[in-house]
Amino acid sequence: MMLGMWSLLLLWGLATPCQGLLETVGTLARIDKDELGKAIQNSLVGGPILQNVLGTVTSVNQGLLGSGGLLGGGGLLSYGGIFGVVEELSGLKIEELTLPKVSLKLLPGFGVQLSLHTKVGLHGSGTLGGLLQLAAEVNVSSRVALGVSSRGTPTLVLKRCSTLLGHISLLSGLLPAPLFGVVEQTLFKVLPGLLCPMVDSVLGVVNELLGTALSLVPIGALGSVEFTLATLPLISNQYIELDINPIVKSVAGDIIDFPKPPKPIKVPPKDDHTSQVVVPLYLFNTVFGLLQANGALDIDITPELVPSNVPLTTTDLAALVPEALGKLPPGQQLLLLIRVKEAALVTLQNKKATVSIPANIRVLSYRPKGTPEALFELNAVLTLNAQLAPSATKLHLSLSLERLRVKLASSFAHAFDASHLEEWLSDVVRVAYVPKLNVDLDVGIPLPKVLNVNFATAALEIIENAVVLTVAS
């Protein structure tokens, strides 16, 4: 068997990550070196990369030393050459390449040193016709530079690859001593052409995973978030940092934009063997802006939408503010129209997430077969608590009403103290409006898919103006 070690030097960036400050409003992703190692390991497990190496040797070379091989009939060292005894060997091939073990070291401000450990077996026919089994050691060193694709995604490009052949041992069969040198020279010439393309294939798979981080992600039927790279990737001794700019768009392609925070986000330090995604307040506000632009924050509340224990008639309203009804008789049903014409405001601080929704509430008498009659209008502010929960690729929100404050905007009868309606309106909002909001918010806030890191089990921390998700590698 053969032990191979391939050292890759990934020239990732010439800067180290910022010291705990997110200067932009983008989504910050800190990917631990363990995740990069997993991505490389999985590329070898899940695809045909290792099998392709075996196929290449067998189908193209038909053995390293056989009649169709490099040293076979007509080859450099074939019969009539320096080592005529080579013709006694036939069909020496790489028959076994076990799954490499991946280990790597990040080099701050420079790149990544990667080692792939594997075992390879060479089989063939010996000089006396018996089975010949050889094992060798080899180091394959490559330099890989980080470029940017035409789509603006990070791309690893193989720049240089060379091999250093180590000890060769005979496991079974007979091989005259002079032929050890021949085998060594042959492997030295052949292995770079066989193993370097495999390294390139591994990088190709990893590049596909890096590319998925910067993509167009739908937000249900409302619109989409396009993730783009804001700056060049940065690197520390433990993680790779990507500053990703989220661009929220409506279905029509219009960009939903909001004012940027006045000061940078102070990001907590990352522990070893963990990966982080920092979701900024800006992204929360733009998603709620998308909901408002699509009318998803508006609702018409009819008696059919509320349970029987929540009153929605003029009789119940008269008990609270009789002056609001004028000459309207009791017993008629009510219709509430909630319209949100201004942006909702999300607050992230003190380990708490809240959403403030400014709304206009029109209250009308409701006759199913008649024309509703306007009674009064209110200016309201709904303050809702937001419970946050991550899934594999999204951050989900669930709202509950904390309080509701109203002021009278206009009345078609007499002026009254609108605060007397707050408890009643709160009950109506809880049973009819908040469930609708939670259904609309079920689309979640998309997270960038960096190397397929799964954040479903991530620890969640609410800091000032951001949410930090941390998952163990």
Side-chain angles (χ1 to χ4, degrees), residues 196-384:
C196 289
M198 182 172 66
V199 174
D200 213 10
S201 298
V202 169
L203 297 179
V205 174
V206 176
N207 282 336
E208 289 182 9
L209 296 177
L210 289 172
T212 59
L214 308 178
S215 58
L216 194 66
V217 182
I219 307 179
L222 301 175
S224 61
V225 175
E226 182 179 4
F227 291 111
T228 61
L229 196 62
T231 61
L232 288 177
L234 305 176
I235 193 167
S236 75
N237 60 358
Q238 188 63 32
Y239 61 89
I240 296 164
E241 182 173 292
L242 301 177
D243 188 357
I244 301 172
N245 182 34
I247 302 174
V248 181
K249 297 181 180 180
S250 66
V251 174
D254 299 325
I255 295 178
I256 309 297
D257 204 2
F258 280 82
K260 311 301 188 287
K263 59 182 179 179
I265 299 171
K266 183 175 292 186
V267 182
K270 187 191 80 66
D271 295 332
D272 290 350
H273 309 297
T274 64
S275 293
Q276 278 184 344
V277 164
V278 180
V279 184
L281 174 65
Y282 169 80
L283 187 53
F284 285 84
N285 282 330
T286 50
V287 169
F288 271 93
L290 184 62
L291 292 170
Q292 189 265 331
N294 282 271
L297 301 182
D298 300 338
I299 189 175
D300 295 351
I301 301 177
T302 62
E304 293 79 12
L305 295 180
V306 297
S308 59
N309 63 328
V310 177
L312 204 62
T313 67
T314 54
T315 302
D316 304 298
L317 190 60
L320 300 173
V321 285
E323 59 267 45
L325 298 180
K327 297 180 180 180
L328 195 68
Q332 295 194 22
Q333 294 179 329
L334 296 176
L335 169 66
L336 273 62
L337 306 181
I338 298 180
R339 298 293 182 266
V340 179
K341 299 180 180 179
E342 300 179 23
L345 179 64
V346 182
T347 302
L348 300 172
Q349 61 183 13
N350 300 325
K351 299 184 179 181
K352 184 179 180 180
T354 58
V355 181
S356 179
I357 301 179
N360 174 267
I361 302 177
R362 295 178 62 198
V363 180
L364 306 90
S365 65
Y366 177 65
R367 288 173 289 183
K369 295 183 180 181
T371 302
E373 181 180 344
L375 300 178
F376 54 86
E377 290 189 22
L378 305 171
N379 290 327
V381 177
L382 289 71
T383 302
L384 304 108

Side-chain angles (χ1 to χ4, degrees), residues 82-104:
I82 299 175
F83 298 102
V85 289
V86 171
E87 286 249 327
E88 298 183 37
L89 297 171
S90 65
L92 186 61
K93 305 172 184 178
I94 296 180
E95 294 284 359
E96 186 177 359
L97 183 64
T98 58
L99 180 66
K101 180 180 178 182
V102 178
S103 61
L104 55 85

